[in-house]
Amino acid sequence: MDTTIFRGVELQTVPQQIANAIKEVIYEGKLQPGESVAKQEELAQTFGVSRPTIREALKILNREQVIMPNPNKESGYVIANFHPDNAMTNVRDTIILSLTFQTMTLLDLFHVRQMLEIPCAGLAAERRTAKDLERLREYLPMIDLESRSTREIIELDLSFHLILAESTHNPLAIMLIRALTTAYMRFIPELQRVDKASIVADLPEVFEAIEDQDVERAKLQMQHHMSNFVNFYDAHERSFTHVHHP
C-alpha cells in the first residue's frame, strides 16, 4: 500500500476526541441544559488522561458554546442551553465563506432556499395567524417600485421571506431560512442588475394564497416567484463568477 495517501489527513488531538465524546453524551440526552459537567479530576480519571488535557477539551466545548462557565460557582461548567441564534450564525458564516472562496455559487444557495422556502409557504398558509398576515402585508414591496432603489426592493423582498418563515411557527425552519437569507443579503450588490418588477413578481399571489390558507397554491406561487431569480442567473451566469462583499 502507498502510505502517501494518508498525508494531509487531519488527525484529531486527544482533547478534540474527548470533547467529541462529551458532545455525544449530550446529544444522546444523558446530560441536560443546566446540569453540571463532572469535575476535571473525575473526567481525567474516566478518560485516563491528565487534567491539562481535560482542561483543553472543556475549552473546546466552551468555544463551541456546548458548555458554559457555571454562573453559580467560581469554577466548573454546566451544559449550555441551545439557542437557535447560535446555530444560525454558524450556518450563515459557513455559507458566506463558501461564497467568498467560490466553493459555492449564489445559484447553489438559491436552490437550497427553494428547497426550504417553497414547502414553508405551504406551512405558513396552514399555520399563519392574523398578526402574521398583517406583517406580511406590510412588507409586500409592490407600491411605487420606480421610486424605490433596487437594493431597497431586494431588502423588502427578503424581509417578506423572513416573515413568511416566521409564519410557519417552526423554530428549525425559521433558523435555517434566517441563516440563508442573512447570508444572501450580504451579496445584494451582485443582484442589483435584476429587473425591479421580477424581484417581486408573484409575491401578491403568494400572500393571497397564504391569506386564503390554500397550502398547495401557496407552494405553487412561491415556486413561480423564486424561479424569477433562476431565470435571471441563467441569463447572466458569467457576471456571477466572482462574488464580492459590499
Side-chain angles (χ1 to χ4, degrees), residues 126-232:
E126 180 181 334
R127 295 184 173 181
R128 59 84 177 152
T129 65
K131 189 170 183 179
D132 292 329
L133 286 177
E134 287 178 17
R135 296 180 67 214
L136 285 167
R137 187 181 290 108
E138 180 183 350
Y139 281 90
L140 265 178
M142 300 305 299
I143 303 172
D144 299 328
L145 288 184
E146 291 308 314
S147 66
R148 297 179 186 267
S149 68
T150 303
R151 181 184 186 92
E152 185 181 5
I153 294 170
I154 293 172
E155 288 174 348
L156 284 169
D157 172 65
L158 293 175
S159 295
F160 182 91
H161 283 261
L162 281 173
I163 295 167
L164 186 147
E166 291 168 2
S167 301
T168 68
H169 301 278
N170 181 303
L172 184 57
I174 294 168
M175 182 272 288
L176 289 171
I177 292 175
R178 187 176 293 156
L180 290 166
T181 305
T182 304
Y184 197 77
M185 282 179 170
R186 295 288 297 271
F187 301 93
I188 285 178
E190 296 293 319
L191 305 170
Q192 293 200 62
R193 288 157 291 161
V194 183
D195 175 65
K196 290 180 181 180
S198 69
I199 297 170
V200 296
D202 302 296
L203 270 189
E205 288 78 11
V206 172
F207 174 81
E208 288 171 9
I210 292 173
E211 185 176 33
D212 294 342
Q213 295 192 297
D214 189 326
V215 173
E216 293 306 317
R217 183 156 57 93
K219 291 191 288 187
L220 180 62
Q221 294 302 332
M222 180 59 79
Q223 182 179 349
H224 290 165
H225 168 64
M226 299 192 79
S227 67
N228 293 315
F229 173 79
V230 177
N231 294 336
F232 177 83

Side-chain angles (χ1 to χ4, degrees), residues 48 50 62 65 81-82 112 125 137 189 195 203 207 236:
S50 65
N62 186 40
Q65 299 178 322
N81 284 308
F82 171 76
V112 175
R137 187 181 290 108
D195 175 65
L203 270 189
F207 174 81
H236 301 83

Side-chain angles (χ1 to χ4, degrees), residues 104-115:
M104 179 191 298
T105 67
L106 277 172
L107 186 60
D108 292 329
L109 171 57
F110 200 82
H111 280 154
V112 175
R113 284 189 60 200
Q114 284 181 304
M115 285 187 281

Side-chain angles (χ1 to χ4, degrees), residues 25-26 28-36 78-81:
V25 172
I26 295 170
E28 289 171 2
K30 295 176 181 177
L31 288 172
Q32 298 295 318
E35 279 191 53
S36 295
V78 296
I79 308 303
N81 284 308

